[in-house]
Amino acid sequence: MSEANAPQKIAILGGGLAALTAAYELTSQPGWQEKYAITVYQMGWRLGGKCATKRGPNNRIEEHGIHGFLGSYYNALPIMADCYKALGRPADAKLATFEQAFIPESFVLMWEFENGGFKRWPMTVPTNSLTPDDASSLQTIRQWIGGLIETTQGLIDPEATPGLSEIHKLELRAGQDILERLQTAILDENAELGTSHPALDEVWDWLHARLKSLIDENDDLRRLYILLEYLMAIVRGVLADRIIERGFDAVDNENFSDWLARHGASVMTVSSPLALNTVNLSYQYPQGDTARTASMAAGAYLHWSLRSYAYMGAFAWLFAAGTGETVIAPLYLVLRQRGVQFEFFHKVENLALSADGQSVAAVEMGVQATLVKPDAPYEPLVPVEGLPSWPSGPCYDQLVEGDALREQDIDLESYWTPWKNVGQKTLKAGEDFDQVMLAIAVGAVPYLCKELLAARPEWRAMVEKVPTVQTQTMQVWLNRSTTDLGWDIPLKNPTDTVIGATYMNPLDGQVDFTHLLQWESWPASQMPKSLWYFSGAMADYEPPPPLTDTGYPARAHARVKAQCIQYLQVCMGPLLPKSTTNVVSPPGDPTGMDFSLLQDHDPANAGLGVQRFDQQFWRANIDPSERYVISPPGSTAARLKAWESGFSNLVLAGDWIYTGLNVGSAEGATMGGRLASYAISGYPALTDIVGYPVSAEAPCAPPAAPPAAE
């Protein structure tokens, strides 16, 4: 054991967003250095987990997927706003402030399939006066419903909807008035809501008795009807199922689509892209197979969807640069300034239990590489276009094994790497740590926690009932602008871009990230004109092979490449009609991509046709720690709480633990990190972790105090 007055030694395993958030909260407390000595242990050469970024050829930003924060990230956005203040960059530095680093985004592109073809459903969500650094007005479910209704009112715009008669406009104004009465009733904290409310019944009657009769032959009115029925079904369900009193978990054994239908949503609405946005954003497909019907716990779906429309300022906040530069590097730099220690190239291999099985006795690690200067810390960042960035791989010149790693092109982040560890390190309880924080994703638990699984049935239940899926991503740099490629919908706000999550599977998410090109280092003659990201789930057709099968990553990489090429050959016409071969003479394929539009980074080896895809970026997220956590019905009850690992010196962190949100996301990871900090220190207060249920009637009411430190 550590000496009585010595700081608690906390070993944080993993360097993703949950780990960094936990360390940030612990070190935000006055006099934390007297209380804690914190070390973060990270496999490989960079931090970030699923949010990790690296730089490729011409300093291209290369990500694990599409990343951004929704305006309803009530925990993640304020943390980052505080982080930028703590970072204290000079006023003339790049991305010196939160306001410079996070871009408001209000445009959402959805897709309908009708009459054998795809139809675009664009929607610009209204902004509001809230600021993303302050979630104080969005602390309760009542306030979320109020925000949802305010957003709904803003989306009913009689003057902006083309082709409406005066009668249509009068009806829409009537709907706005009824919604205003409903919002007033909901926000009255003294009002008894019960299982319904007269104002909600009035909205519902107006919707079905009056608006529904006007929607034939008018796409805008039909979509408005779907939107209103969807959002009002959510409000009806919250009241009817007494979610405010009982909590979201009360309906988590039901599938989201059944829940929506039970509360009045029609088949047209339940099957609409509006209803599928949540499940597509969070990859809720069994075994990652998008050919199967999506499945998601109704409570998790409801929690996420309800608060998505009650946002701070804008519907979403995108990153001005890559995720690594905008989110992960600032957190790392602040933590390092505060005195947190980081040990890179430390691969956790086993958590060993004490003889009585009540605590973690040791953490066994493989040392992947050693430092040329062992008395100095590893410096993981490099400057790119004025921003501290994560390079394309390890900084080899700092490593004794650098030349061998570079020559063999070793991926130190892969569980299937052929690289042999150069040493072993064992952290011992009472000597090297007093508390262990497991902040590695749940997909890795079967590999790292065999003793814990054998000792605790609740751990086995968690691994079985909180599944994970593989994902895949593609980035393409293009030598024509998005407008030149056929995009013709004007964007209302200057910072808006094209973003959506309901396009063709398996890469159903797509976004125009052309604004990131300014942070890349292309020669003027090769400078791309646009940049698009695509992302989606990736089916598990077979169990992952043994870790000795070192050829598995290459096979997965090739599989994703083939799927991406096929996707481009089939799916580009509806999205960017002038990106296809149909625009040349003689006419060609109206849906398949003209691969000559892909911008090469190595002109001498660019190739022709499909060969030009070789110089784009694609990624198979197959490693256990990269797999995405999903939320099928029944999974919530199996999630462990941060302070309920069952082992006296082990705290849990991540979007896979019980957070109250219980949806894989940066917000879920942030909440998981905050809960882990609370489990160790009692800070932040649970009432300050927005979205975590703390009412006495909630089934997951927290303990009176965090567990005492060993």
Side-chain angles (χ1 to χ4, degrees):
M1 288 291 173
S2 299
E3 295 180 12
N5 296 323
Q8 262 195 90
K9 295 178 181 177
I10 300 172
I12 299 179
L13 310 182
L17 192 53
L20 298 177
T21 299
Y24 190 87
E25 292 286 22
L26 288 168
T27 58
S28 294
Q29 303 171 47
W32 74 269
Q33 294 92 338
E34 285 73 47
K35 299 177 183 177
Y36 311 114
I38 302 170
T39 304
V40 176
Y41 294 90
Q42 171 64 40
M43 174 175 71
W45 48 276
R46 59 178 171 171
L47 301 171
K50 300 180 188 69
C51 293
T53 303
K54 69 180 178 70
R55 295 296 186 138
N58 293 330
N59 285 321
R60 301 187 315 188
I61 296 170
E62 298 176 349
E63 303 255 12
H64 278 63
I66 297 172
H67 296 299
F69 287 176
L70 290 184
S72 56
Y73 279 18
Y74 306 139
N75 296 277
L77 282 165
I79 286 279
M80 290 311 304
D82 190 73
C83 175
Y84 271 82
K85 291 177 183 176
L87 190 60
R89 284 176 172 163
D92 59 351
K94 300 291 181 67
L95 301 190
T97 66
F98 174 86
E99 290 74 19
Q100 294 169 345
F102 288 80
I103 303 171
E105 162 65 21
S106 298
F107 181 80
V108 178
L109 178 65
M110 295 177 287
W111 293 86
E112 296 179 299
F113 189 79
E114 284 192 346
N115 302 319
F118 279 90
K119 296 175 70 173
R120 296 178 297 181
W121 178 347
M123 183 167 69
T124 300
V125 185
T127 57
N128 60 45
S129 60
L130 302 180
T131 57
D133 62 344
D134 182 8
S136 59
S137 63
L138 294 168
Q139 298 283 327
T140 68
I141 297 176
R142 276 183 185 258
Q143 291 171 326
W144 299 352
I145 296 174
L148 177 148
I149 295 171
E150 180 181 337
T151 299
T152 307
Q153 289 174 295
L155 288 166
I156 302 176
D157 189 349
E159 304 306 322
T161 306
L164 295 187
S165 67
E166 287 305 313
I167 294 176
H168 292 158
K169 292 179 181 179
L170 284 172
E171 281 298 341
L172 294 185
R173 293 189 189 105
Q176 287 178 316
D177 292 340
I178 299 169
L179 283 167
E180 186 171 350
R181 291 197 292 276
L182 174 60
Q183 184 184 34
T184 300
I186 291 289
L187 291 178
D188 182 357
E189 295 289 345
N190 297 316
E192 176 62 44
L193 294 180
T195 58
S196 186
H197 194 279
L200 178 57
D201 296 337
E202 188 180 1
V203 174
W204 197 256
D205 291 343
W206 167 80
L207 180 64
H208 290 91
R210 295 161 64 179
L211 183 60
K212 188 175 183 180
S213 64
L214 306 177
I215 67 175
D216 291 340
E217 308 302 325
N218 188 307
D219 277 347
D220 291 308
L221 285 179
R222 175 178 56 80
R223 290 166 177 171
L224 179 59
Y225 173 83
I226 291 172
L227 172 73
L228 290 169
E229 186 179 66
Y230 172 69
L231 296 180
M232 291 307 105
I234 287 177
V235 178
R236 288 182 92 207
V238 167
L239 298 185
D241 288 342
R242 297 177 54 245
I243 298 298
I244 294 174
E245 297 83 14
R246 298 169 64 211
F248 293 104
D249 301 357
V251 295
D252 251 343
N253 285 326
E254 189 173 3
N255 194 34
F256 81 98
S257 54
D258 297 330
W259 187 89
L260 285 170
R262 181 161 64 83
H263 292 293
S266 63
V267 172
M268 176 174 65
T269 294
V270 173
S271 60
S272 72
L274 195 68
L276 292 176
N277 263 325
T278 293
V279 294
N280 281 14
L281 278 170
S282 52
Y283 307 114
Q284 303 289 336
Y285 290 89
Q287 284 76 53
D289 188 352
T290 55
R292 299 173 63 183
T293 302
S295 176
M296 187 175 185
Y301 178 93
L302 173 59
H303 188 162
W304 179 278
S305 301
L306 170 59
R307 72 191 235 178
S308 293
Y309 291 88
Y311 44 82
M312 298 179 291
F315 185 74
W317 292 85
L318 301 183
F319 308 147
T323 313
E325 291 83 10
T326 309
V327 177
I328 305 303
L331 284 168
Y332 164 72
L333 290 169
V334 169
L335 292 173
R336 187 159 154 179
Q337 289 169 7
R338 290 177 174 180
V340 174
Q341 301 296 309
F342 288 85
E343 294 287 351
F344 292 90
F345 309 107
H346 283 68
K347 183 177 182 179
V348 177
E349 295 180 336
N350 183 50
L351 273 64
L353 293 182
S354 59
D356 62 4
Q358 300 303 305
S359 64
V360 175
V363 179
E364 298 166 0
M365 300 178 175
V367 178
Q368 299 173 297
T370 51
L371 299 179
V372 173
K373 298 179 180 179
D375 295 330
Y378 177 71
E379 300 291 346
L381 298 173
V382 297
V384 179
E385 302 298 328
L387 288 180
S389 304
W390 305 93
S392 60
C395 296
Y396 296 111
D397 59 342
Q398 297 183 45
L399 303 176
V400 173
E401 300 80 16
D403 290 342
L405 288 165
R406 178 168 25 212
E407 290 167 5
Q408 298 177 47
D409 193 22
I410 293 296
D411 181 3
L412 290 177
E413 296 177 331
S414 173
Y415 277 54
W416 286 273
T417 181
W419 182 256
K420 303 301 181 184
N421 294 326
V422 298
Q424 294 295 127
K425 178 183 286 187
T426 299
L427 305 182
K428 297 180 180 179
E431 296 179 22
D432 303 298
F433 66 86
D434 299 303
Q435 291 270 359
V436 175
M437 184 185 300
L438 179 61
I440 301 174
V442 70
V445 166
Y447 296 89
L448 311 181
C449 304
K450 291 182 172 63
E451 294 184 36
L452 283 65
L453 288 166
R456 294 286 191 275
E458 63 269 28
W459 278 73
R460 299 193 293 274
M462 177 187 65
V463 168
E464 177 187 352
K465 295 181 180 180
V466 184
T468 62
V469 298
Q470 300 175 145
T471 63
Q472 57 187 317
T473 192
M474 165 177 65
Q475 299 172 204
V476 291
W477 289 259
L478 300 147
N479 56 32
R480 297 289 185 275
S481 71
T482 294
T483 301
D484 289 342
L485 294 172
W487 181 261
D488 59 357
I489 299 176
L491 302 177
K492 295 181 181 179
N493 301 310
T495 59
D496 283 351
T497 190
V498 184
I499 187 167
T502 57
Y503 196 45
M504 289 184 245
N505 289 323
L507 297 165
D508 48 38
Q510 81 284 153
V511 59
D512 180 356
F513 269 165
T514 300
H515 74 275
L516 297 180
L517 291 173
Q518 64 182 304
W519 305 109
E520 301 180 349
S521 307
W522 292 81
S525 61
Q526 294 174 255
M527 186 67 185
K529 302 297 193 301
S530 59
L531 168 60
W532 281 76
Y533 285 26
F534 298 82
S535 184
M538 180 168 139
D540 279 306
Y541 293 130
E542 57 187 4
L547 301 185
T548 53
D549 185 355
T550 59
Y552 177 56
R555 298 197 303 273
H557 190 67
R559 175 185 164 196
V560 171
K561 178 184 179 181
Q563 290 182 159
C564 289
I565 290 174
Q566 183 182 37
Y567 187 89
L568 294 175
Q569 288 174 324
V570 173
C571 301
M572 292 304 289
L575 179 63
L576 297 171
K578 292 184 180 180
S579 70
T580 74
T581 60
N582 199 45
V583 298
V584 299
S585 182
D589 184 345
T591 62
M593 179 160 213
D594 177 0
F595 284 87
S596 69
L597 296 170
L598 297 178
Q599 179 60 54
D600 53 77
H601 59 78
D602 179 8
N605 296 291
L608 299 172
V610 174
Q611 290 177 324
R612 295 181 64 83
F613 184 76
D614 291 351
Q615 294 195 28
Q616 305 305 300
F617 177 76
W618 63 96
R619 182 180 175 89
N621 294 312
I622 59 172
D623 276 279
S625 58
E626 295 174 342
R627 294 174 64 96
Y628 201 95
V629 184
I630 59 173
S631 311
S635 60
T636 295
R639 289 173 177 254
L640 299 176
K641 299 185 183 71
W643 52 81
E644 292 184 352
S645 71
F647 305 99
S648 61
N649 60 351
L650 178 63
V651 168
L652 307 178
D655 62 2
W656 51 276
I657 69 170
Y658 183 89
T659 63
L661 180 61
N662 303 324
V663 178
S665 57
E667 173 72 353
T670 301
M671 293 176 73
R674 303 192 81 195
L675 288 163
S677 173
Y678 167 82
I680 289 173
S681 69
Y683 176 88
L686 287 174
T687 50
D688 291 336
I689 302 175
V690 184
Y692 187 86
V694 294
S695 71
E697 298 157 67
C700 52
E710 288 292 314

